[in-house]
Amino acid sequence: MSVAVVTGASKGIGRAIAKALAREGYSLSLGARSVDLLKNLADELKTEVLWSYLDVSSEASVEKFAEKTLERFRSVEILVANAGVGVPGRLDEITEEAFMHSLQVNLLGVWRTIKAFLPTLKETKGTVVVVTSDLSTRLLPGSGAYVVSKWGARALVKTFQLENPTVKFLELRPGAVDTHFYGKPGRSREEGFMKPEDVAEALVSLLNLPHHVRVEEVLLRSIYQDPVY
Ligand code: NJP
């Protein structure tokens, strides 16, 4: 059975992706800081699940997560680097601490996670999916530290791809999705929000393409969200 790793699996898009991959028959290694939420997700899923505390802003935590995953499953076919945080604030007002947090999670967290799983992904000729943002190629005043982290994450994905042609790297770029990202979920489709399940189903269909097809990036937005590039 193929093994998929999902970071940030406790809530939102990561949780929906974990559920969709379980349904597709993958065994799962799930990581996030909210282990209570991971445990209750694991209880729900009808597949083999390892859940572990993971803080992607810590090198030690990422390495331990990768070690535990490989101890249990030996190899990994799919890595979904999804963990991320929204960090609002104008660039002339944001604190250095908040800026660093954005980079530590959204940029370096992705780099650490890919680096830790790359050896097994090279062996399996696997796929790395990085959930960035529709903002990874555009600008949003008032969210500069977040936007910079996502542009950086896009550059990471592309550079990893050039350096590792036998692994497939997919940049998944969602627009607005109704998750904890905006506080409590509950926003409507008509306000321009997709559901986390919409993103998960899109990913499943891409993963089901023939192995020789490499989808390098996908931008997904609700029809109610303005197309801005
Ligand atoms: O947000 P949310 P989404 N270490 O808050 C985890 C991108 N995106 O699902 O640690 C490990 O419901 C957190 O887990 P926990 C966004 O940038 C979204 O929307 O338990 N995990 C939770 O599971 C992000 O990359 C929208 O708190 C950490 C998950 O991340 C991805 O989509 C638009 C962590 C966040 O779940 C998923 O976000 C867009 C850490 N240090 C891009 N910090 C959107 N929702 O509209 C957080 O363009 N997590």
Side-chain angles (χ1 to χ4, degrees):
M1 195 180 279
S2 294
V3 177
V5 173
V6 184
T7 71
S10 58
K11 301 172 205 151
I13 296 170
R15 193 175 182 94
I17 289 175
K19 286 185 184 176
L21 293 178
R23 187 198 67 214
E24 292 293 302
Y26 287 90
S27 297
L28 295 175
S29 175
L30 306 179
R33 294 163 306 166
S34 311
V35 281
D36 48 337
L37 295 178
L38 291 180
K39 183 181 179 316
N40 92 10
L41 173 61
D43 290 345
E44 235 179 78
L45 300 178
K46 294 182 179 49
T47 190
E48 184 176 358
V49 181
L50 172 68
W51 52 270
S52 321
Y53 176 87
L54 169 66
D55 178 356
V56 296
S57 68
S58 151
E59 184 182 19
S61 180
V62 172
E63 282 175 1
K64 195 165 166 204
F65 176 62
E67 253 171 52
K68 278 181 74 177
T69 301
L70 291 171
E71 223 171 78
R72 167 76 78 93
F73 294 113
R74 302 283 156 222
S75 62
V76 167
E77 278 77 20
I78 310 276
L79 166 64
V80 184
N82 160 77
V85 281
V87 179
R90 287 173 54 95
L91 285 179
D92 53 1
E93 288 172 0
I94 194 167
T95 62
E96 180 151 349
E97 190 187 2
F99 204 138
M100 283 308 292
H101 184 55
S102 181
L103 298 180
Q104 277 295 350
V105 177
N106 297 338
L107 177 59
L108 295 174
V110 169
W111 167 68
R112 284 184 196 102
T113 307
I114 296 174
K115 193 166 170 243
F117 285 96
L118 198 54
T120 178
L121 289 159
K122 279 169 126 169
E123 271 174 30
T124 59
K125 297 189 170 36
T127 299
V128 177
V129 180
V130 179
V131 180
T132 61
S133 174
D134 65 336
L135 288 168
S136 72
T137 63
R138 65 183 188 93
L139 303 174
L140 184 63
S143 289
Y146 179 74
V147 169
V148 165
S149 72
K150 293 295 184 178
W151 280 58
R154 175 178 171 83
L156 271 184
V157 175
K158 306 293 186 206
T159 308
F160 268 119
Q161 181 66 82
L162 291 170
E163 292 176 349
N164 301 277
T166 60
V167 176
K168 297 196 283 186
F169 288 83
L170 162 60
E171 186 194 358
L172 187 55
R173 304 177 53 210
V177 186
D178 181 30
T179 68
H180 289 87
F181 196 77
Y182 298 94
K184 220 172 173 284
R187 286 169 172 78
S188 70
R189 286 199 166 88
E190 291 68 26
E191 290 173 272
F193 287 81
M194 295 181 290
K195 296 292 168 199
E197 292 73 21
D198 300 331
V199 179
E201 291 312 318
L203 177 58
V204 163
S205 67
L206 296 172
L207 293 175
N208 284 336
L209 289 169
H211 187 263
H212 69 275
V213 179
R214 186 176 65 220
V215 183
E216 299 183 358
E217 62 180 280
V218 168
L219 172 58
L220 286 175
R221 279 195 291 225
S222 159
I223 56 168
Y224 299 109
Q225 186 179 353
D226 289 338
V228 184
Y229 300 104

